[in-house]
PDB file of all heavy atoms in Angstrom:
ATOM      1  N   LYS A 200      80.179 -34.725 -52.487  1.00 98.00           N
ATOM      2  CA  LYS A 200      79.637 -36.105 -52.504  1.00 98.00           C
ATOM      3  C   LYS A 200      78.041 -36.000 -52.618  1.00 98.00           C
ATOM      4  O   LYS A 200      77.449 -36.823 -53.333  1.00 98.00           O
ATOM      5  CB  LYS A 200      80.126 -36.841 -51.353  1.00 98.00           C
ATOM      6  CG  LYS A 200      81.513 -37.247 -51.385  1.00 98.00           C
ATOM      7  CD  LYS A 200      82.018 -37.780 -50.010  1.00 98.00           C
ATOM      8  CE  LYS A 200      83.548 -38.005 -50.060  1.00 98.00           C
ATOM      9  NZ  LYS A 200      84.007 -38.520 -48.778  1.00 98.00           N
ATOM     10  N   TYR A 201      77.502 -35.025 -51.864  1.00 98.00           N
ATOM     11  CA  TYR A 201      76.076 -34.983 -51.913  1.00 98.00           C
ATOM     12  C   TYR A 201      75.598 -34.545 -53.407  1.00 98.00           C
ATOM     13  O   TYR A 201      74.598 -35.001 -53.867  1.00 98.00           O
ATOM     14  CB  TYR A 201      75.538 -33.939 -50.921  1.00 98.00           C
ATOM     15  CG  TYR A 201      75.469 -34.500 -49.501  1.00 98.00           C
ATOM     16  CD1 TYR A 201      75.693 -33.630 -48.452  1.00 98.00           C
ATOM     17  CD2 TYR A 201      75.078 -35.751 -49.297  1.00 98.00           C
ATOM     18  CE1 TYR A 201      75.584 -34.157 -47.152  1.00 98.00           C
ATOM     19  CE2 TYR A 201      74.920 -36.339 -48.050  1.00 98.00           C
ATOM     20  CZ  TYR A 201      75.180 -35.413 -46.975  1.00 98.00           C
ATOM     21  OH  TYR A 201      74.973 -35.935 -45.685  1.00 98.00           O
ATOM     22  N   ILE A 202      76.287 -33.539 -54.000  1.00 98.00           N
ATOM     23  CA  ILE A 202      75.907 -33.146 -55.288  1.00 98.00           C
ATOM     24  C   ILE A 202      76.050 -34.182 -56.319  1.00 98.00           C
ATOM     25  O   ILE A 202      75.178 -34.477 -57.213  1.00 98.00           O
ATOM     26  CB  ILE A 202      76.865 -31.872 -55.692  1.00 98.00           C
ATOM     27  CG1 ILE A 202      76.583 -30.703 -54.840  1.00 98.00           C
ATOM     28  CG2 ILE A 202      76.684 -31.495 -57.174  1.00 98.00           C
ATOM     29  CD1 ILE A 202      77.620 -29.522 -54.985  1.00 98.00           C
ATOM     30  N   ARG A 203      77.160 -35.018 -56.214  1.00 98.00           N
ATOM     31  CA  ARG A 203      77.320 -36.149 -57.075  1.00 98.00           C
ATOM     32  C   ARG A 203      76.085 -37.125 -56.918  1.00 98.00           C
ATOM     33  O   ARG A 203      75.597 -37.634 -57.926  1.00 98.00           O
ATOM     34  CB  ARG A 203      78.597 -36.896 -56.841  1.00 98.00           C
ATOM     35  CG  ARG A 203      78.805 -38.079 -57.670  1.00 98.00           C
ATOM     36  CD  ARG A 203      80.181 -38.667 -57.485  1.00 98.00           C
ATOM     37  NE  ARG A 203      80.351 -39.976 -58.126  1.00 98.00           N
ATOM     38  CZ  ARG A 203      81.496 -40.445 -58.581  1.00 98.00           C
ATOM     39  NH1 ARG A 203      82.652 -39.799 -58.324  1.00 98.00           N
ATOM     40  NH2 ARG A 203      81.534 -41.506 -59.240  1.00 98.00           N
ATOM     41  N   ARG A 204      75.784 -37.454 -55.725  1.00 98.00           N
ATOM     42  CA  ARG A 204      74.739 -38.340 -55.487  1.00 98.00           C
ATOM     43  C   ARG A 204      73.364 -37.870 -55.894  1.00 98.00           C
ATOM     44  O   ARG A 204      72.584 -38.611 -56.596  1.00 98.00           O
ATOM     45  CB  ARG A 204      74.637 -38.733 -53.991  1.00 98.00           C
ATOM     46  CG  ARG A 204      73.518 -39.737 -53.565  1.00 98.00           C
ATOM     47  CD  ARG A 204      74.001 -41.157 -53.836  1.00 98.00           C
ATOM     48  NE  ARG A 204      73.070 -42.096 -53.139  1.00 98.00           N
ATOM     49  CZ  ARG A 204      73.187 -43.379 -53.199  1.00 98.00           C
ATOM     50  NH1 ARG A 204      74.096 -44.007 -54.037  1.00 98.00           N
ATOM     51  NH2 ARG A 204      72.324 -44.181 -52.493  1.00 98.00           N
ATOM     52  N   LEU A 205      73.050 -36.561 -55.824  1.00 98.00           N
ATOM     53  CA  LEU A 205      71.733 -35.992 -56.287  1.00 98.00           C
ATOM     54  C   LEU A 205      71.780 -36.001 -57.801  1.00 98.00           C
ATOM     55  O   LEU A 205      70.615 -36.333 -58.310  1.00 98.00           O
ATOM     56  CB  LEU A 205      71.764 -34.536 -55.772  1.00 98.00           C
ATOM     57  CG  LEU A 205      71.525 -34.285 -54.269  1.00 98.00           C
ATOM     58  CD1 LEU A 205      71.712 -32.788 -53.913  1.00 98.00           C
ATOM     59  CD2 LEU A 205      70.039 -34.746 -53.921  1.00 98.00           C
ATOM     60  N   LYS A 206      72.867 -35.782 -58.486  1.00 98.00           N
ATOM     61  CA  LYS A 206      72.858 -35.830 -59.900  1.00 98.00           C
ATOM     62  C   LYS A 206      72.662 -37.341 -60.351  1.00 98.00           C
ATOM     63  O   LYS A 206      72.000 -37.485 -61.369  1.00 98.00           O
ATOM     64  CB  LYS A 206      74.126 -35.275 -60.475  1.00 98.00           C
ATOM     65  CG  LYS A 206      74.235 -33.753 -60.363  1.00 98.00           C
ATOM     66  CD  LYS A 206      75.575 -33.252 -60.886  1.00 98.00           C
ATOM     67  CE  LYS A 206      75.613 -31.639 -60.815  1.00 98.00           C
ATOM     68  NZ  LYS A 206      76.829 -31.091 -61.310  1.00 98.00           N
ATOM     69  N   ALA A 207      73.213 -38.237 -59.707  1.00 98.00           N
ATOM     70  CA  ALA A 207      73.020 -39.716 -60.053  1.00 98.00           C
ATOM     71  C   ALA A 207      71.568 -40.055 -59.832  1.00 98.00           C
ATOM     72  O   ALA A 207      70.920 -40.699 -60.690  1.00 98.00           O
ATOM     73  CB  ALA A 207      73.949 -40.521 -59.241  1.00 98.00           C
ATOM     74  N   ILE A 208      70.936 -39.586 -58.725  1.00 98.00           N
ATOM     75  CA  ILE A 208      69.465 -39.924 -58.566  1.00 98.00           C
ATOM     76  C   ILE A 208      68.667 -39.268 -59.592  1.00 98.00           C
ATOM     77  O   ILE A 208      67.719 -39.908 -60.146  1.00 98.00           O
ATOM     78  CB  ILE A 208      69.148 -39.335 -57.174  1.00 98.00           C
ATOM     79  CG1 ILE A 208      69.693 -40.198 -56.052  1.00 98.00           C
ATOM     80  CG2 ILE A 208      67.568 -39.326 -56.952  1.00 98.00           C
ATOM     81  CD1 ILE A 208      69.554 -39.629 -54.618  1.00 98.00           C
ATOM     82  N   ARG A 209      68.916 -38.003 -59.947  1.00 98.00           N
ATOM     83  CA  ARG A 209      68.123 -37.392 -61.065  1.00 98.00           C
ATOM     84  C   ARG A 209      68.277 -38.090 -62.359  1.00 98.00           C
ATOM     85  O   ARG A 209      67.206 -38.236 -62.978  1.00 98.00           O
ATOM     86  CB  ARG A 209      68.628 -35.907 -61.192  1.00 98.00           C
ATOM     87  CG  ARG A 209      67.835 -35.187 -62.298  1.00 98.00           C
ATOM     88  CD  ARG A 209      68.206 -33.689 -62.256  1.00 98.00           C
ATOM     89  NE  ARG A 209      69.615 -33.396 -62.665  1.00 98.00           N
ATOM     90  CZ  ARG A 209      70.143 -32.143 -62.599  1.00 98.00           C
ATOM     91  NH1 ARG A 209      69.451 -31.095 -62.304  1.00 98.00           N
ATOM     92  NH2 ARG A 209      71.392 -31.987 -62.929  1.00 98.00           N
ATOM     93  N   ALA A 210      69.531 -38.471 -62.777  1.00 98.00           N
ATOM     94  CA  ALA A 210      69.707 -39.203 -64.015  1.00 98.00           C
ATOM     95  C   ALA A 210      68.826 -40.466 -64.021  1.00 98.00           C
ATOM     96  O   ALA A 210      68.238 -40.954 -65.050  1.00 98.00           O
ATOM     97  CB  ALA A 210      71.083 -39.411 -64.326  1.00 98.00           C
ATOM     98  N   THR A 211      68.866 -41.159 -62.805  1.00 98.00           N
ATOM     99  CA  THR A 211      68.207 -42.465 -62.822  1.00 98.00           C
ATOM    100  C   THR A 211      66.635 -42.282 -62.818  1.00 98.00           C
ATOM    101  O   THR A 211      65.905 -43.008 -63.432  1.00 98.00           O
ATOM    102  CB  THR A 211      68.617 -43.243 -61.543  1.00 98.00           C
ATOM    103  OG1 THR A 211      69.996 -43.289 -61.497  1.00 98.00           O
ATOM    104  CG2 THR A 211      68.082 -44.607 -61.572  1.00 98.00           C
TER     105      THR A 211
END
Side-chain angles (χ1 to χ4, degrees):
K200 291 170 187 178
Y201 280 149
I202 293 168
R203 175 175 177 156
R204 181 77 165 177
L205 288 169
K206 289 180 176 179
I208 290 171
R209 181 172 63 183
T211 309

